[in-house]
Amino acid sequence: MTLAELDGVTLDSETTFADLTTLRIGGAPLVTVRCASAEAAIAALAALDDASQDYLVVGGGSNLVVAEGQLDVVVVILDFEDIDASVADGIVRADAGAVWDDVVALSVECGLGGIECLSGIPGNAGAVPVQNVGAYGAETSDVLTQVYLYERATRTASWVPAADLELAYRYSNLKFTGRGVVLAIELQLTTDGLSKPLRFGQLTQNPGERRPVAEVREEVLKLRRSKGMVLDPGDHDTWSAGSFFTNPIVEPQLADSIQASVRTARGDEDADRMPRHVVGGTTTSGEGGERKEKLSAAWLIERAGFAKGYPGAETGAKATLSTKHTLALTNRGEATADDIVALAREIRAGVKKAFGVTLEPEPIWLGVEI
Ligand SMILES: Cc1cc2nc3c(=O)[nH]c(=O)nc-3n(C[C@H](O)[C@H](O)[C@H](O)COP(=O)(O)OP(=O)(O)OC[C@H]3O[C@@H](n4cnc5c(N)ncnc54)[C@H](O)[C@@H]3O)c2cc1C
C-alpha cells in the first residue's frame, strides 16, 4: 500500500519550508504528508521508517532553520488537534497538532494553573516536550505527566511517562535523536485558579507568590509582545525562530572573569547587573551535580557589541537581530538561510572573542550548519 492509499493520509507537493516556518525560509521537501488522526500518523510514520525514508515532523515551524532548494526529506504534519481539559482533576490532554497557545488559553479559561507563564509561545503541543519548552521560570517538565509516543524502533505507539524523556534545560531525548514522534501530551495542572509560584522578576515583586492564572497570562502576553516574542505577520521582528541561542552554562570561574572584563570595559553598574544563576550543585534544577552558572545569552550578545537590530536596517541587511530583543535573529522579508547562517556565525564568533563562551543554537537545523 502506498502512503496516499492510507486512511486519513493526504499528500501535497506544493508546500515549501518557507510556508511552514516562522522564519519563512527554506526550500521544498520531497512531499508533505498530512495525517488526520493519530492512527493515520502511526501508519504513515511506520511506512516511512520501513522505507528508511528521512522525514521531519513539522508543527508550527517555529524552531527550524532550513536550507533553500530541493531537500531530500519528507515533511509530516500532524493535523489532529483535540484538547481536553478536566476542571475537576486538572488533567489536560492535547493532540500533537493542537496549537500550544490554545492549550494554554483553554487551561487558563478553566482556571487551571501551571502553564500560564508559557502563554504566547508559538508552535504545537506535540513539540513542547521535544525541547522542554520554557519561559519566565516555568518549564514543560513542571507539568508534563506523559506523552503518547510513536517509537521509531518498534513502529508502535504507547503512553510513555515524562520521566522517560530525560527532560532538561531546552532538551529531551527526543531532540536530535530521532527517537520518536509525540502524538499527544498529558499535563497535570493545579485546580485552585492560581498560577504556579512566580519567580521571574518582571512578573512579580514577591518571588513565590501565586496570582490568578488569567492575570498572569495577560501579563506574560504583554511582556512577550514588547519583545517581539508573539507571532505577528505584520512585524518582521517576529519572523524568527525565537531565542536563537540557549543561555550558556559555564564554570563559575569563567562567569567571574566575564564579569571582571565587563567591569573594566563598562563600569560597576553594568557589571553588577550581570545575570548569573547557579545550576547544579546544591540546587534541584536537574542540571547535574556539579555547580555551574547559567548566563544570559542576550546579555552577552549585547555586551559583545551587537545592539538590538544589528547590523541595522540602513545597511540593507536581509537578516538582522530583532529590534526588540538581541536573542532573536530575524528575516526582514527577503532573507535566505545563508543570510541567517552568516549572521548567526558573526554573533557567535563575536561572543566567543569577547568572552570565551561558545553560544549553542537552540533551533533544529536542516541542510545548513552554523
Ligand atoms: C517568536 C518565538 C518565540 C519563542 N519563544 C519560546 C520560548 O519562550 N520558549 C521556548 O522554549 N521556545 C520558544 N520558541 C521556540 C519554539 O516556539 C518552541 O520550541 C516550540 O515548541 C516549537 O514548536 P513547533 O511546533 O513550532 O516545532 P517545529 O519548529 O515545527 O519543530 C521543532 C522540532 O521539533 C520536532 N517536532 C515537532 N513536532 C514534533 C512531534 N509531535 N514529535 C516529535 N518531534 C516533533 C521537529 O521535527 C523539529 O525537530 C519561540 C519561537 C518563536 C518563533
Side-chain angles (χ1 to χ4, degrees):
M1 195 183 276
T2 65
L3 272 179
E5 289 166 339
L6 294 172
D7 251 6
V9 174
T10 50
L11 306 186
D12 103 58
S13 327
E14 303 300 316
T15 307
T16 67
F17 279 101
D19 301 325
L20 293 172
T21 59
T22 52
L23 267 170
R24 298 171 196 233
I25 284 174
L30 293 170
V31 69
T32 297
V33 179
R34 294 176 190 275
C35 309
S37 65
E39 295 69 36
I42 295 164
L45 293 166
L48 289 164
D49 279 327
D50 285 345
S52 301
Q53 171 60 55
D54 266 357
Y55 61 84
L56 185 77
V57 175
V58 178
S62 61
N63 215 20
L64 287 175
V65 183
V66 184
E68 311 291 340
Q70 180 62 57
L71 294 140
D72 189 19
V73 69
V74 167
V75 163
V76 177
I77 293 186
L78 307 175
D79 259 341
F80 38 102
E81 53 190 34
D82 280 353
I83 311 170
D84 182 36
S86 162
V87 180
D89 59 13
I91 290 181
V92 174
R93 280 194 178 187
D95 284 340
V99 171
W100 169 250
D101 197 50
D102 291 348
V103 179
V104 181
L106 179 70
S107 304
V108 166
E109 247 169 61
C110 294
L112 302 178
I115 52 176
E116 56 288 332
C117 287
L118 305 180
S119 293
I121 297 179
N124 292 354
V128 159
V130 174
Q131 69 152 2
N132 187 22
V133 157
Y136 301 114
E139 280 191 331
T140 307
S141 54
D142 301 337
V143 291
L144 187 76
T145 49
Q146 49 178 350
V147 299
Y148 189 49
L149 186 70
Y150 166 82
E151 300 261 12
R152 298 185 69 177
T154 58
R155 320 275 204 259
T156 56
S158 61
W159 284 97
V160 169
D164 195 32
L165 302 179
E166 299 174 282
L167 297 164
Y169 170 61
R170 296 300 178 275
Y171 177 80
S172 78
N173 61 23
L174 300 170
K175 191 171 178 178
F176 306 128
T177 63
R179 172 180 171 184
V181 176
V182 176
L183 301 171
I185 62 171
E186 185 190 86
L187 314 173
Q188 174 68 69
L189 303 185
T190 51
T191 56
D192 60 3
L194 296 178
S195 67
K196 76 183 294 262
L198 299 173
R199 286 190 273 148
F200 190 78
Q202 282 171 284
L203 289 177
T204 180
Q205 303 300 320
N206 306 308
E209 77 167 330
R210 301 180 66 211
R211 304 221 322 268
V213 278
E215 208 176 286
V216 174
R217 172 171 166 78
E218 279 319 304
E219 268 179 50
V220 168
L221 287 173
K222 199 167 143 205
L223 254 179
R224 292 187 67 95
R225 281 195 193 101
S226 71
K227 297 179 183 173
M229 285 292 176
V230 177
L231 293 185
D232 173 355
D235 180 357
H236 283 289
D237 279 338
T238 74
W239 291 30
S240 78
S243 302
F244 203 86
F245 298 102
T246 52
N247 290 324
I249 294 173
V250 304
E251 303 289 339
Q253 296 87 323
L254 180 54
D256 287 343
S257 83
I258 291 171
Q259 196 161 21
S261 69
V262 172
R263 198 174 296 287
T264 309
R266 305 173 65 101
D268 286 346
E269 203 182 330
D270 201 29
D272 288 343
R273 283 207 224 114
M274 173 172 156
R276 299 177 63 163
H277 301 287
V278 174
V279 293
T282 54
T283 77
T284 53
S285 64
E287 309 277 358
E290 198 187 340
R291 182 182 182 279
K292 295 209 173 181
E293 293 193 25
K294 193 196 284 180
L295 308 182
S296 159
W299 196 91
L300 294 174
I301 290 170
E302 279 189 49
R303 297 318 175 275
F306 302 102
K308 292 181 181 119
Y310 179 88
E314 67 287 356
T315 64
K318 293 176 179 166
T320 74
L321 293 184
S322 159
T323 67
K324 303 185 184 78
H325 199 312
T326 39
L327 203 45
L329 274 61
T330 64
N331 172 2
R332 305 321 288 183
E334 290 171 4
T336 62
D338 286 347
D339 296 317
I340 293 290
V341 171
L343 181 61
R345 286 187 179 148
E346 188 184 350
I347 304 288
R348 182 147 106 151
V351 170
K352 174 82 180 167
K353 187 161 174 241
F355 302 121
V357 174
T358 303
L359 294 179
E360 294 301 334
E362 185 184 301
I364 303 292
W365 298 69
L366 184 68
V368 271
E369 276 177 18
I370 182 166

